[in-house]
Amino acid sequence: MRRKRVPAAPLPQREGIDPVRLRLPEDPAGAWPTVGAYLLGRYGAAVGAERIGAMLDAGRFVGADGRAAAASEPYEPGRWLWFHRDLAPEERVPFEVGVVYRDERILVADKPHFLATTPRGRHVTETAVARLRAGLGLPELQPAHRLDRLTAGLVLFVVRPEDRGAYQLLFKERRMRKEYEAVAPYDPGVALPVTVRSRIEKVRGVPAAREVPGEPNAVSRIELVERVGAHARYRLLPETGKTHQLRVHMNALGLPIVDDPLYPVVREDGPEDYRRPLRLLARSLEFTDPVTGGERRFESRLSLSGPWPRGGAA
């Protein structure tokens, strides 16, 4: 049976964030006689019955036709509703998102340290996708992949939804050639270059990933670029894309990346120190464009220059 097409959202984005979409489920037991009863049952415990009631009174839940849904309306399984969440205030990350390249299909951005790529957890409006959507008037912009919040550098975005799958496959099928740069301690006892292969697992809710016994699922090539005092600059070439892969592999070599709050020791949660970014940069992306067939290469305009730890200099 063909699934019904989802209607277009009747509400515009706010600060680059889409409205929440929900479809009223089947109710064979008749537990929800009205729209209000369902919304209270689903969201009341999380945000409070009084808040849900106030949102209904204000007409903040709307149907596909843009008409506000009243609390007393009969429950109708399969009906679509949209609403905007109340977003908590977020501290602004004091760095801008740079645009390296843009055409009708893709946008390559330079994401700064500390800025998440997409909304997640407490980072919603302070994300690269939200800033770019709002700032450039591109409401359908979506990332083709994700770069960790603490890592700076290149992120590939897709302008049109119909093109997203083709560019996502570049990452899924390992046809995207990625190069990173990192600053970490120098150790003459570590023979480089080296290719690290291990199995990495990341448990939801646990900040740090870890290496475990088993078939390798993460592969990284590590090369020395230059030594600067007690530290060095490294070229990192990941063949796979596991969460925190490069950070885990550098730490496993005894070369933890400078100012990493998780490896080797998980730092206590606290206010962001924007003077101490993780010294990891997504330096370049290189690929064969799946739409045009042309060769593409993009390089970040950012650098890891700045105050290095004692004993090193940029």
Side-chain angles (χ1 to χ4, degrees):
M1 184 177 178
R2 179 177 291 182
R3 296 179 63 184
K4 291 185 178 180
R5 187 174 180 179
V6 179
L11 295 175
Q13 292 177 347
R14 284 184 180 173
E15 298 182 71
I17 302 300
D18 291 321
V20 177
R21 182 187 71 209
L22 63 93
R23 192 180 190 191
L24 305 187
E26 296 296 324
D27 182 25
W32 307 306
T34 64
V35 170
Y38 171 74
L39 293 173
L40 285 170
R42 175 163 180 175
Y43 297 108
V47 303
E50 184 177 335
R51 185 64 194 145
I52 295 299
M55 291 175 68
L56 282 162
D57 291 342
R60 290 180 54 183
F61 294 95
V62 305
D65 58 1
R67 183 179 60 85
S72 59
E73 287 183 30
Y75 186 84
E76 181 184 345
R79 181 181 180 185
W80 293 97
L81 294 177
W82 286 260
F83 68 96
H84 281 290
R85 290 181 293 166
D86 291 322
L87 301 176
E90 297 180 44
E91 179 183 358
R92 178 175 172 78
V93 174
F95 310 112
E96 301 304 320
V97 183
V99 175
V100 174
Y101 176 82
R102 175 183 174 182
D103 63 23
E104 70 276 10
R105 286 184 303 276
I106 64 172
L107 183 150
V108 181
D110 250 339
K111 186 189 78 64
H113 291 103
F114 301 102
L115 189 70
T117 303
T118 56
R120 187 175 183 183
R122 66 179 186 270
H123 307 286
V124 180
T125 57
E126 276 303 287
T127 56
V129 68
R131 283 197 190 180
L132 289 168
R133 283 174 174 176
L136 300 177
L138 297 173
E140 296 184 310
L141 192 74
Q142 291 283 355
H145 64 119
R146 187 175 66 87
L147 193 63
D148 284 345
R149 186 178 71 86
L150 297 184
T151 304
L154 297 182
V155 181
L156 175 63
F157 290 86
V158 180
V159 177
R160 306 182 302 194
E162 60 266 30
D163 293 329
R164 191 182 187 197
Y167 289 95
Q168 285 181 315
L169 277 176
L170 293 174
F171 295 89
K172 184 177 181 179
E173 297 178 351
R174 302 183 188 178
R175 291 185 284 123
M176 176 66 70
R177 298 174 292 280
K178 299 177 287 185
E179 180 180 318
Y180 288 71
E181 183 179 308
V183 175
Y186 173 74
D187 184 349
V190 179
L192 297 175
V194 65
T195 298
V196 183
R197 294 179 173 87
S198 69
R199 185 166 192 84
I200 295 177
E201 291 185 356
K202 175 72 167 62
V203 178
R204 188 178 181 86
V206 178
R210 63 192 182 103
E211 292 182 304
V212 298
E215 184 71 19
N217 62 2
V219 182
S220 309
R221 179 175 173 81
I222 314 297
E223 301 175 355
L224 176 66
V225 176
E226 63 172 338
R227 177 184 176 185
V228 184
H231 293 79
R233 197 180 299 269
Y234 298 87
R235 179 182 298 111
L236 315 180
L237 305 169
E239 293 184 23
T240 54
K242 302 300 291 184
T243 300
H244 296 179
Q245 174 180 317
L246 296 174
R247 298 161 68 182
V248 170
H249 281 168
M250 288 292 285
N251 185 57
L253 291 173
L255 306 172
I257 298 174
V258 170
D259 285 323
D260 193 324
L262 297 180
Y263 309 97
V265 178
V266 177
R267 188 186 303 163
E268 289 187 13
D269 198 15
E272 301 278 20
D273 186 348
Y274 296 117
R275 299 167 301 174
R276 296 179 59 191
L278 172 70
R279 304 306 169 94
L280 180 61
L281 174 68
R283 168 63 64 194
S284 70
L285 293 175
E286 188 174 357
F287 58 96
T288 301
D289 193 296
V291 178
T292 68
E295 293 301 313
R296 303 269 204 166
R297 178 178 172 83
F298 301 103
E299 294 194 9
S300 174
R301 297 169 184 166
L302 301 175
S303 78
L304 297 178
S305 297
W308 282 23
R310 189 175 304 169

